[in-house]
C-alpha cells in the first residue's frame, strides 16, 4: 500500500508538472500581414505577452488556392493525430476556405480549397475560419462567418456593403470528408470572428458584434454545453470604447488572456480575466511584430520552437 501511495503521489506530481509546463508555453502566434498575399507569418513567446517574429518575419507558406490566392486569418491547431491543421480566408468574396496540414509548421501538405458555401447561391463570402476539436466525439468543427443575400433581414443594413453575417460550420474527422454546412450561431445581430475553446465541460465562444448602428464593434462571449451548440445569448462587451475584432484566447494558470485587433487604431490590444466577467486591459504589457494582423495562438513544444528558430 505504501508503494502504491508513493506511486500515486509521483503520478499526481507528474501530471501537475505537465500542466504547469503546458501553461508556460512556448506559445506560437500565427498571423498575416497587409492583405494576406504573402501567406503565413509566425511569432513566438515564452510568456504570451512579449512576441518575436520568426524567420525575420518572412512568410512560412505562400497561398496557392482560390483566384485571389490570399492567406488571411490563419488558424492553426494541434490535432489528435499529432499534425498541425490550418484553415484560412482565401478571398474577400469566395465560397470556400483554405486548408493544409504539417508535422513541423515548416513543410506543409498541398493546399486545398474546401467549398463550404458552394450550395448557397446567395453566399457572398467565407471569412475567418477556425477549428475546434471535440475529444469525446473525435470530431473537428470548422466554422466561419458568411453573409447570405436576403437572409436575416431583421438585421439587414445598407451600410458597410450590406454585410450581415452569421456563423456557419462543418464537421470532419479526417479533413477528407465533411458534413453538410449548417448554421452554428445566430445571436440576433451581425456577427463575425468567432473563436471557440473548451473550458471544463462547457464551450466558450468569443465573437465580434459587427453591428454598425447603433455601433457595437466589440468582443462578446457566448456559452454552450456542446461544441455544435446551441450557444447562449451573447453577453455584454468585454472590450472597451474602441473597435475590436479577431479575438484569440489562451488560459495561463487561472487567468484568461484575450488578444484582439484594434483595427481602426492599427494596433493590437489584450485583456485579462480570472472569471470571464471582470476584465483588465493589459494592452500596455504586450509587444508584437509590426503589422501583425488577425491570427491565433497555440502552445508548442520546446523542440518544435528550436526547429522554427533555425529557419
Amino acid at each position: 500500500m505504501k508503494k502504491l501511495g508513493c506511486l500515486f503521489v509521483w503520478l499526481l506530481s507528474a501530471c501537475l508538472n505537465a500542466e504547469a509546463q503546458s501553461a508556460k508555453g512556448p506559445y506560437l502566434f500565427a498571423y498575416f500581414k497587409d492583405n494576406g498575399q504573402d501567406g503565413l507569418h509566425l511569432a513566438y513567446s515564452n510568456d504570451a505577452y512579449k512576441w518575436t517574429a520568426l524567420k525575420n518575419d518572412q512568410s512560412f507558406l505562400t497561398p496557392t488556392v482560390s483566384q485571389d490566392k490570399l492567406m488571411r486569418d490563419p488558424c492553426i491547431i494541434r490535432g489528435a493525430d499529432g499534425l498541425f491543421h490550418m484553415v484560412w480566408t482565401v478571398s474577400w468574396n469566395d465560397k470556400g476556405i483554405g486548408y493544409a496540414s504539417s508535422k513541423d509548421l515548416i513543410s506543409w501538405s498541398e493546399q486545398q480549397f474546401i467549398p463550404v458555401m458552394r450550395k448557397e447561391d446567395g453566399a457572398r463570402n467565407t471569412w475567418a475560419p477556425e477549428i475546434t476539436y471535440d475529444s469525446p466525439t473525435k470530431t473537428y468543427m470548422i466554422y466561419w462567418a458568411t453573409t447570405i443575400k436576403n437572409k436575416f433581414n431583421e438585421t439587414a443594413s445598407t451600410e458597410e456593403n450590406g454585410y450581415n453575417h452569421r456563423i456557419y460550420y462543418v464537421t470532419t474527422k479526417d479533413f477528407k470528408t465533411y458534413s453538410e454546412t449548417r448554421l452554428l450561431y445566430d445571436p440576433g445581430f451581425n456577427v463575425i470572428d468567432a473563436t471557440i475553446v473548451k473550458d471544463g465541460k462547457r464551450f466558450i465562444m468569443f465573437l465580434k458584434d459587427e453591428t454598425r448602428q447603433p455601433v457595437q464593434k466589440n468582443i462578446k462571449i457566448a456559452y454552450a454545453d456542446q461544441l455544435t451548440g446551441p450557444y447562449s445569448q451573447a453577453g455584454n462587451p468585454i472590450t472597451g470604447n474602441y473597435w475590436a475584432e479577431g479575438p484569440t484566447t489562451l488560459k495561463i494558470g487561472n487567468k484568461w488572456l484575450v488578444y484582439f485587433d484594434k483595427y481602426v487604431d492599427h494596433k493590437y490590444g489584450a485583456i485579462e480575466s480570472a472569471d470571464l466577467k471582470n476584465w483588465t486591459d493589459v494592452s500596455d504589457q504586450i509587444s508584437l511584430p509590426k503589422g501583425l494582423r488577425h491570427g491565433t495562438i497555440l502552445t508548442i513544444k520546446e523542440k518544435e520552437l528550436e526547429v522554427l528558430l533555425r529557419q
Side-chain angles (χ1 to χ4, degrees):
M1 288 295 291
K2 187 175 181 180
K3 288 183 178 179
L4 286 174
C6 290
L7 179 60
F8 174 79
V9 171
W10 180 84
L11 287 171
L12 179 60
S13 176
C15 289
L16 291 174
N17 285 336
E19 289 180 5
Q21 289 170 8
S22 175
K24 290 180 180 177
Y27 305 97
L28 193 72
F29 210 134
Y31 61 98
F32 77 99
K33 300 181 71 173
D34 300 318
N35 194 34
Q37 67 275 11
D38 75 335
L40 174 66
H41 289 255
L42 301 174
Y44 77 96
S45 174
N46 288 312
D47 63 4
Y49 290 84
K50 309 298 182 184
W51 297 86
T52 303
L54 287 159
K55 200 178 177 181
N56 294 317
D57 213 4
Q58 298 174 35
S59 172
F60 276 79
L61 182 63
T62 302
T64 61
V65 296
S66 175
Q67 183 175 347
D68 291 343
K69 293 182 173 60
L70 300 180
M71 191 172 282
R72 298 172 60 88
D73 321 316
C75 172
I76 303 176
I77 70 163
R78 188 193 302 275
D81 54 6
L83 293 175
F84 293 100
H85 297 277
M86 178 172 68
V87 291
W88 65 90
T89 304
V90 299
S91 167
W92 285 96
N93 52 18
D94 213 327
K95 293 187 177 185
I97 60 175
Y99 166 77
S101 63
S102 174
K103 292 181 180 179
D104 57 9
L105 298 161
I106 298 168
S107 299
W108 290 85
S109 66
E110 181 179 356
Q111 296 173 39
Q112 299 176 34
F113 178 80
I114 308 174
V116 291
M117 298 304 292
R118 174 181 52 193
K119 295 183 178 180
E120 286 285 352
D121 291 338
R124 295 181 57 188
N125 60 337
T126 48
W127 287 357
E130 298 223 1
I131 313 172
T132 300
Y133 181 66
D134 186 27
S135 53
T137 62
K138 298 180 179 179
T139 302
Y140 300 90
M141 183 174 77
I142 305 173
Y143 47 99
W144 63 90
T146 288
T147 289
I148 300 177
K149 296 175 184 177
N150 301 318
K151 273 203 170 186
F152 307 106
N153 290 325
E154 68 279 8
T155 57
S157 170
T158 57
E159 294 186 310
E160 298 184 326
N161 294 315
Y163 281 117
N164 187 25
H165 301 86
R166 295 302 187 269
I167 306 299
Y168 295 84
Y169 78 98
V170 294
T171 58
T172 183
K173 291 182 180 291
D174 55 12
F175 294 94
K176 295 177 182 176
T177 59
Y178 300 87
S179 70
E180 290 294 315
T181 297
R182 297 184 179 90
L183 177 68
L184 178 64
Y185 192 50
D186 170 21
F189 54 77
N190 183 3
V191 57
I192 64 171
D193 293 353
T195 183
I196 301 170
V197 292
K198 191 171 186 180
D199 180 39
K201 294 183 178 180
R202 66 178 178 175
F203 290 90
I204 307 171
M205 177 191 290
F206 296 86
L207 57 104
K208 180 192 179 185
D209 185 339
E210 183 72 325
T211 303
R212 184 66 179 88
Q213 290 293 342
V215 66
Q216 290 291 322
K217 302 290 186 175
N218 49 42
I219 308 301
K220 297 178 176 178
I221 300 177
Y223 300 91
D225 294 328
Q226 298 180 34
L227 178 57
T228 55
Y231 283 83
S232 68
Q233 181 178 350
N236 294 324
I238 62 174
T239 48
N241 189 27
Y242 44 79
W243 290 15
E245 67 181 14
T248 185
T249 185
L250 68 162
K251 193 175 184 182
I252 305 173
N254 68 339
K255 285 189 176 181
W256 290 90
L257 182 62
V258 177
Y259 276 86
F260 49 89
D261 193 344
K262 291 184 177 181
Y263 60 103
V264 174
D265 300 331
H266 301 290
K267 59 183 180 181
Y268 250 73
I271 52 177
E272 196 174 70
S273 176
D275 60 7
L276 296 170
K277 296 177 182 177
N278 301 290
W279 294 89
T280 301
D281 193 308
V282 293
S283 300
D284 60 348
Q285 299 177 33
I286 66 173
S287 64
L288 295 157
K290 185 178 180 180
L292 180 151
R293 300 189 64 192
H294 188 154
T296 52
I297 297 172
L298 66 153
T299 303
I300 59 173
K301 300 172 183 177
E302 288 284 356
K303 61 182 181 180
E304 292 168 337
L305 177 58
E306 290 172 3
V307 173
L308 291 170
L309 284 168
R310 292 197 292 267
Q311 298 304 302

